[in-house]
Amino acid sequence: MAIHPPEKRIWWNEPLERSEVTWITIAFIWGLVMFFTMVFWHFTGEQNLSNEAYRIHPETFAERTEAMADQYTVREEGDTGIPVVHPPPGSDVYMLARLWEWWPILELEEGKDYRLHLSSMDWQHGFSLQPENINIQVHPGYELVLTLTPEGVGEYWVVCNEFCGIGHHQMVGKIYVVEAK
Amino acid sequence: MASIADTGTLPRAAEFRTCPDTGLKIDLAAEKLIRWNAVVAVVFLAIGGFFGLLVALTRWPAVHLLPAEWFYLALTAHGADVLLFWVIFFEIAILYFASAVLLNSRLAAPRIAWLGFWLMLAGALLANVAVLQGESSVMFTSYVPMQAAPHFYLGLILFAVGALVAVAVFFGTLVIAKDEGTYEGSVPLVTFGAIAAAVIAVFTITSGAIILIPTFFWSVGIISHIDPVMYKVVWWGMGHSSQQINVSAHVAVWYAIAAMVLGAKPLSEKVSRFAFLMYILFLQIAAAHHLLVEPGISSEWKIFNTSYALYLAVLGSLIHGLSVPGAIEAAQRRRGFTKGVFEWLRKAPWGNPAFSGMFLSLVMFGFLGGISGVVLGSEQINLILHNTMYVPGHFHGTVVAGTTLAFMAITYLVVPLIFRREIMFKKVAQWQPYVFGLGVAGISLFMMGAGTLGVSRRHWDITFSDAPVAFDYPGTAFLMMGLNGVFGVLAALGGLMYIVVVVWSVFFGERRTEEKARSEPLLPQDGAAAVATYGSEGTLKLPGTITLVAVFFVAFVLYYFVNWKFLSEVWPLS
Ligand code: HEM
Ligand SMILES: [Cu+2]
Ligand SMILES: [Cu+2]
């Protein structure tokens, strides 16, 4: 048996197996369901990542963040004296990522909307809000603006979950959620 | 014999042998290339697997083996050695097998094929040297603006060019086989699957070159800036599509093993080929899987791209998910295992590691890798999983439980057929797919579990012991990471068993003589024929496969919506 002659040359005219046709139909419809679930969530779901983003110079972003901190710092924390900033509800709040910290610490009021601005000063970082587990990529040169509504009074942490060099595992920031005044 | 082939090379007086097991005519030059590519692949699996073990032991909180610097180095080496070098060297061997061997043809331009081989090897070694020198712990994704040493990028570029050369030889061989009429009609299904893999490889490697070459110039200071978002878009044009090379290749391997071991024929040639065609048409996109939470990319593009245009490529995989077990069931029923719904499965050759490895690969790829991949790749759900341990959990289900295990399984046929050696340590070989499979199932599941609880991937210290702000993940997360370590050891043991069996058989194994091939045939009579021919099984009742597929589908739907439920519980954001 050196070369095996093809059994049926005209394979493209063979009838389809019924179980296969049924499965293809189901699988195709399931694909449509999954596709439209994503579209649908944009209209009805509450968790959609904003498409609002700008190119920005790291220095400009740092200036805006510092301006916010100057105006609304309520106390300082830790050995390094990181400011804890309590901006008014509804306002623009900034958090910057740099090797290897999230700056500053934010204090937000429960149930209020904030326009959160995120950007990096150097490499890429990952904004990973714990224990909520919301994860957003942060790039240098890009400013992402999203509207965030904190739920549940308490302490939250921002772990960096994009590898950013040897201090990556020390990069933790913080967000407090307090009762609305 | 031949006229001058389209590739422009002079026809060479190829030397052939006739395989006593399959009756195929094998070009000795192709055989040698297949052997060397496979051997080098296994060496990189051994190195990369060793780094994987070190990584798993470091992420086991109670063990925490390596210091931070070494951990990031080991993780970079692990990713590159297994995902790029092991998998792609093995795939090149498969391409040569599916073209020259299955089509009874001579290989186009073996010298050029060797050039490709040496380029790939030089590139892989160079990248390893760069990583081991310690200045290139940037992870295999090497996101800018973090910078590696120039020879790290250069190594990857050489490797990619070498792979492209090999793919060209594959296409050249197809042309020669057609011209010289070494087969009649259409190519066998397995070759068709390999063609799908090769077409995707061309797209993939081109994207890789488009991004890595400027990155190399940037690393030596000729280019001043590379946009980090643009880098990721193009890089994942390579990174994600190359996973689809793996899928096409391992699905082709599933069909090949089912055919060789059981004489299984696809239920319908038309449907299975159509499913591969879906891969070719839609898998190039899907870079978006990795960009769902990046700034500056629109939701419309994300949704279209991440779903491979309405999930048409997923449809391809779902089709194979029915036709591969269906082909096996049909073949077994033809053999007379017709009792009840599952006699065909119970009486399958579970003691043959080629079969058991293949079947475990099929089941785990679907249940672990496939379902989690679609969930992870849903635009909004990605918000609660991006860059957590869920991501490596998912792809250890695809590229390890799926691709790696399938490649291990076919090795148990390649060693006797191509290396002409008997498999040594038969008992170890029999157990190997189960040990490795169980280990990988464990790491896949526990990494996904830890990810659902928020644990970050690529992270040395989840206790944050020297971070200025104190934080701890929940206790269950630590448990998950510990179990991941335990199963990581098991997976490494399974990997070691594979390496020992293969290396021993290839270098010191008993030769497989012609008498042996006659007295102890490796393949059933219809097996050899089935892999090189084509034709559909036709209509048969397949209650077992239908049951399996129904279970899979229900699990898929439930798990999918559970994750939307999880998403709906986090802070509103828009
Ligand atoms: C001995 C078996 C293996 C074990 C124990 C293992 C374990 C692990 C662990 C624990 C991680 C780290 C996750 C993290 O910290 O982010 C990882 C990452 C990874 N593994 Fe494996 N793995 C094994 C085999 C493989 C194989 C065979 C492949 C590919 C074919 C593979 C591909 C990868 C890749 C691509 C990464 C990601 C690296 C990165 O984040 O840059 N692994 N593995
Ligand atoms: Cu960081
Ligand atoms: Cu980081």
Side-chain angles (χ1 to χ4, degrees):
Chain A
M1 45 169 195
I3 299 171
H4 311 287
E7 288 169 22
K8 294 178 188 156
R9 281 192 81 124
I10 318 288
W11 48 268
W12 54 87
N13 276 345
E14 289 171 19
L16 291 177
E17 235 264 287
R18 212 186 55 203
S19 59
E20 280 192 313
V21 178
T22 317
W23 175 234
I24 293 172
T25 316
I26 295 174
F28 179 70
I29 294 172
W30 174 234
L32 291 180
V33 169
M34 292 192 296
F35 181 86
F36 285 106
T37 304
M38 291 190 286
V39 177
F40 178 73
W41 198 264
H42 274 277
F43 297 101
T44 62
E46 297 203 305
Q47 293 78 12
N48 286 290
L49 187 63
S50 133
N51 283 325
E52 188 179 346
Y54 306 95
R55 283 181 194 277
I56 193 166
H57 265 290
E59 302 87 70
T60 319
F61 191 81
E63 279 163 25
R64 292 187 195 161
T65 312
E66 278 156 20
M68 170 196 72
D70 287 346
Q71 209 177 345
Y72 300 116
T73 296
V74 289
R75 60 179 187 277
E76 286 183 352
E77 238 177 52
D79 307 338
T80 46
I82 314 175
V84 179
V85 180
H86 188 129
S91 69
D92 285 86
V93 302
Y94 296 79
M95 187 177 268
L96 66 77
R98 65 183 162 216
L99 304 170
W100 285 283
E101 66 169 353
W102 295 99
W103 194 92
I105 294 176
L106 298 174
E107 189 173 273
L108 308 177
E109 294 180 16
E110 190 186 20
K112 297 285 159 59
D113 293 348
Y114 294 87
R115 273 168 59 82
L116 175 64
H117 298 237
L118 294 171
S119 189
S120 162
M121 298 296 102
D122 32 59
W123 291 346
Q124 294 186 35
H125 298 278
F127 175 93
S128 176
L129 183 74
Q130 298 298 330
E132 269 318 273
N133 204 9
I134 293 175
N135 306 281
I136 298 168
Q137 192 78 25
V138 181
H139 283 257
Y142 286 84
E143 176 184 35
L144 178 70
V145 189
L146 57 130
T147 304
L148 189 69
T149 320
E151 279 180 351
V153 170
E155 289 178 65
Y156 296 84
W157 290 267
V158 182
V159 172
C160 176
N161 73 359
E162 180 56 73
F163 172 65
C164 56
I166 192 64
H168 165 56
H169 48 268
Q170 298 163 1
M171 183 165 166
V172 187
K174 207 162 181 180
I175 294 180
Y176 290 98
V177 178
V178 296
E179 271 174 39
K181 288 190 191 124
Chain B
M1 197 177 78
S3 61
I4 293 178
D6 287 6
T7 48
T9 48
L10 285 175
R12 120 193 105 84
E15 285 179 57
F16 290 93
R17 70 174 174 85
T18 301
C19 174
D21 280 295
T22 59
L24 289 165
K25 213 170 95 194
I26 299 178
D27 176 2
L28 296 182
E31 185 175 68
K32 193 166 173 199
L33 276 154
I34 294 172
R35 289 183 182 180
W36 277 99
N37 278 284
V39 165
V40 171
V42 171
V43 171
F44 280 108
L45 176 65
I47 301 172
F50 173 68
F51 282 118
L53 177 64
L54 296 182
V55 166
L57 289 175
T58 308
R59 296 224 58 174
W60 181 345
V63 179
H64 210 217
L65 184 69
L66 299 177
E69 239 165 297
W70 279 94
F71 170 74
Y72 294 124
L73 185 155
L75 188 52
T76 308
H78 174 58
D81 282 331
V82 280
L83 190 67
L84 302 176
F85 308 147
W86 141 250
V87 168
I88 296 179
F89 269 112
F90 203 92
E91 279 162 359
I92 301 301
I94 291 176
L95 289 187
Y96 293 154
F97 177 79
S99 55
V101 176
L102 287 187
L103 298 180
N104 291 291
S105 170
R106 67 191 176 85
L107 191 78
R111 275 162 185 258
I112 297 187
W114 281 107
L115 173 72
F117 173 81
W118 289 112
L119 278 173
M120 286 170 68
L121 186 57
L125 291 175
L126 190 60
N128 265 282
V129 167
V131 171
L132 290 174
Q133 283 171 333
E135 298 302 309
S136 301
S137 299
V138 294
M139 307 293 130
F140 74 100
T141 43
S142 56
Y143 291 153
V144 303
M146 190 183 284
Q147 203 173 57
H151 53 299
F152 174 77
Y153 305 110
L154 192 62
L156 297 186
I157 293 168
L158 289 180
F159 181 78
V161 172
L164 202 53
V165 169
V167 172
V169 171
F170 167 77
F171 283 119
T173 307
L174 295 183
V175 172
I176 287 181
K178 181 110 200 137
D179 270 12
E180 296 179 359
T182 61
Y183 64 97
E184 286 172 53
S186 317
V187 298
L189 180 62
V190 172
T191 308
F192 193 82
I195 293 175
V199 172
I200 299 170
V202 173
F203 278 85
T204 293
I205 299 170
T206 314
S207 310
I210 289 175
I211 196 64
L212 285 172
I213 291 172
T215 307
F216 167 70
F217 286 124
W218 168 72
S219 73
V220 293
I222 297 176
I223 293 180
S224 67
H225 176 75
I226 295 204
D227 183 273
V229 174
M230 184 277 295
Y231 175 94
K232 271 187 158 171
V233 173
V234 186
W235 198 94
W236 283 111
M238 163 179 76
H240 202 94
S241 333
S242 72
Q243 301 320 306
Q244 323 305 342
I245 309 177
N246 303 344
V247 176
S248 306
H250 80 226
V251 173
V253 164
W254 291 344
Y255 280 111
I257 294 179
M260 287 201 262
V261 176
L262 295 169
K265 287 187 278 184
L267 299 178
S268 112
E269 284 281 350
K270 185 158 54 176
V271 169
S272 296
R273 282 169 201 249
F274 166 79
F276 276 119
L277 195 66
M278 291 286 115
Y279 285 172
I280 300 181
L281 294 179
F282 298 106
L283 281 181
Q284 326 304 340
I285 56 178
H289 281 157
H290 303 265
L291 307 165
L292 294 172
V293 298
E294 300 312 285
I297 299 175
S298 77
S299 291
E300 289 80 5
W301 184 81
K302 284 175 180 170
I303 291 182
F304 180 78
N305 183 306
T306 196
S307 69
Y308 307 104
L310 301 166
Y311 290 102
L312 290 177
V314 172
L315 180 64
S317 288
L318 290 174
I319 293 173
H320 292 306
L322 174 101
S323 24
V324 175
I328 293 173
E329 177 168 2
Q332 286 285 80
R333 285 185 184 273
R334 205 166 0 93
R335 282 220 165 71
F337 299 117
T338 50
K339 253 191 263 136
V341 179
F342 282 122
E343 193 198 18
W344 63 276
L345 192 58
R346 271 200 317 278
K347 300 263 172 78
W350 293 105
N352 178 345
F355 176 81
S356 62
M358 175 260 144
F359 207 85
L360 290 174
S361 161
L362 168 71
V363 171
M364 294 201 285
F365 177 75
F367 278 89
L368 297 178
I371 295 181
S372 66
V374 172
V375 167
L376 183 60
S378 301
E379 195 211 13
Q380 297 92 339
I381 292 178
N382 194 257
L383 273 167
I384 56 171
L385 299 172
H386 175 75
N387 266 1
T388 66
M389 285 304 276
Y390 194 92
V391 178
H394 149 67
F395 65 69
H396 282 75
T398 55
V399 82
V400 191
T403 310
T404 300
L405 190 48
F407 289 1
M408 286 173 164
I410 199 155
T411 315
Y412 295 114
L413 297 174
V414 167
V415 169
L417 294 178
I418 299 290
F419 288 86
R420 310 297 313 151
R421 302 277 183 167
E422 296 296 329
I423 294 287
M424 306 307 280
F425 307 129
K426 284 239 161 55
K427 270 270 165 278
V428 180
Q430 269 184 8
W431 280 98
Q432 189 274 330
Y434 297 100
V435 175
F436 186 75
L438 185 64
V440 175
I443 57 177
S444 174
L445 281 169
F446 293 119
M447 285 200 260
M448 285 197 248
T452 311
L453 296 167
V455 177
S456 164
R457 70 183 289 201
R458 297 175 165 175
H459 201 281
W460 178 66
D461 181 16
I462 60 170
T463 64
F464 302 92
S465 53
D466 46 3
V469 176
F471 169 65
D472 259 334
Y473 287 109
T476 0
F478 283 81
L479 178 67
M480 295 281 176
M481 294 307 288
L483 288 169
N484 176 52
V486 175
F487 280 84
V489 171
L490 199 60
L493 178 67
L496 183 70
M497 289 161 76
Y498 170 76
I499 310 262
V500 167
V501 169
V502 172
V503 170
W504 201 266
S505 308
V506 164
F507 292 103
F508 312 106
E510 194 187 318
R511 277 186 193 285
R512 186 166 174 83
T513 55
E514 299 212 0
E515 296 88 77
K516 193 98 193 224
R518 241 169 285 129
S519 64
E520 291 172 34
L522 188 69
L523 312 176
Q525 287 311 300
D526 51 349
V531 69
T533 54
Y534 61 87
S536 310
E537 185 69 61
T539 14
L540 258 175
K541 291 255 173 298
L542 305 169
T545 300
I546 291 173
T547 311
L548 288 178
V549 170
V551 170
F552 170 80
F553 186 63
V554 171
F556 192 170
V557 174
L558 289 178
Y559 185 70
Y560 180 76
F561 285 115
V562 161
N563 277 280
W564 283 100
K565 175 88 175 58
F566 287 157
L567 174 71
S568 73
E569 287 162 2
V570 305
W571 290 3
L573 67 159
S574 58

